[in-house]
Amino acid sequence: MTNLAWNIERVLPSAIADLHKLISIPSISSMPEHDGDVTACRDTVAGLFRDLGAAEVKFLDGGGKPAVWAHFPGPEGTPTVLLYAHYDVQPIGDAAAWTSPAFEPTERDGRLYARGSADDKGGIAVHLAALRVFDGKPPVGVKVFIEGEEEVGSPTMPTLLDRYRDELSADVYVVTDSVNWEVGKPSFTTSLRGVADCKVTVSTLEQGLHSGQFGGVVPDALTALCRLLATLHDEAGNVAIEGLHQGTAPDLDYPLDRLKEETGLLDGVSQIGDGPVVQRMWFKPACSVLAIDATPVAQASNTLIPSARAKVSVRLAPGQDPVAASDALEAHLLKHAPWGARVEVSRGQMGAPSAISLGDRAEAAKAAFREAFGVDPVEMGCGGSIPIVAEFADRNPDAMVLVTAVTDPNSRMHGIDESLDLGDLAKAALAETLFLHNLA
């Protein structure tokens, strides 16, 4: 065991204990009733890096939920590395569906279960462990940037990057917020899809009507909305919105039996879309209906409802302009309104996709992860969106942006029983430590 590996074993228990502490704070950024928890989590994160001996810790405020920034100066002449993660989390969904309470970290069979364990408080734990190995005096300059609104699309990130240009400048950016190829096999994410979403409201009547008296003569809004949403895909399940870009996937096999196991696809339910799995997941647009507002079943009556609303999200392939995609989504919804129904579109989140080149420091990163995991990292895409990646790359064209992970395909980020593999957490922390060492 190398000295750095031994030191990871030494500091890992404290990093996991702090991860438990962070997980226990329900920092759900999308729900105003949790604003106090978001603030508490922010303060806790700041305190952890302050206790580590950072030369400076402060909040970066762009008008939204402030980020935590910490600085650990390195020896003169060494590069500066910015370590990124986020402390906000998604809502938990049906609390009763969790095997253990969502905000009570629970270890089972080598995994840590809780909301935020994988996405992305585990990333914070990796940064804490790496810096503790060096006792807060890393061999390169380190800036830590822990965001508080990633799960709502990082809406104030451009303002933060403009307002704090010096604080957020670096030679290398390490974004620990993606997904590994599988347990025990790390990845470098070299492409990410973007996102454009909206709320669409369909109205057909001035007021509700008796369904027996007028059904079959005038349309109800919910049926009209369902017909409109059905036009978003063709019969095979490909996105039918005109004008969206698609890219070319790498030659990487994603076995169908693995896909079924990871997704929990029910027997008899087919996949959607055409082309290889990695093409559909990483380099083609995807469209999902995330929610519908209408009369709940428990309150249903024999009434034709006058208005119904849905939230629609489109994931964007690398190379797609998110504004153009939002335009295309709105145009499609307005064009395909059935029966002359009135359609109103309210645009929401937009985030750019990314295509990332690892650059000259790639070998230093590959060597670190190879030593930590015992296998070479897989260069892969990711179907999700991390808006900060495109911002870092566009604003710092000469810098390396390395997108890594503590999660695996079974981590169920955003879902019920979110978890991370504790063995991979240790390996990710060692890999980051070795990378900082190699850069020096």
Side-chain angles (χ1 to χ4, degrees), residues 16-25 98 100-108 111-117 418 422:
I16 292 175
D18 289 331
L19 176 56
H20 281 226
K21 183 190 304 182
L22 292 172
I23 285 170
S24 299
I25 306 172
W98 286 72
S100 51
F103 292 107
E104 293 181 15
T106 305
E107 294 184 16
R108 295 195 299 273
R111 298 186 72 91
L112 178 64
Y113 289 84
R115 171 62 85 235
S117 59
E418 177 183 342
L422 288 168

Side-chain angles (χ1 to χ4, degrees), residues 13 34 61 78 96 106 157 197 245 310 323 328 346 431:
H34 285 282
D61 190 352
T78 58
T106 305
M157 188 56 64
D197 65 34
H245 172 75
V323 175
S346 173

Side-chain angles (χ1 to χ4, degrees), residues 99-100 106-113 183 408 410 419-424:
T99 305
S100 51
T106 305
E107 294 184 16
R108 295 195 299 273
D109 300 322
R111 298 186 72 91
L112 178 64
Y113 289 84
V183 173
D408 59 79
N410 295 314
S419 69
L420 62 77
D421 182 271
L422 288 168
D424 275 6

Side-chain angles (χ1 to χ4, degrees), residues 181-182 254 257-265 409-410:
W181 181 245
E182 60 189 28
Y254 205 106
D257 56 347
R258 172 182 166 178
L259 181 72
K260 183 174 181 180
E261 179 184 353
E262 291 173 355
T263 60
L265 190 69
N410 295 314

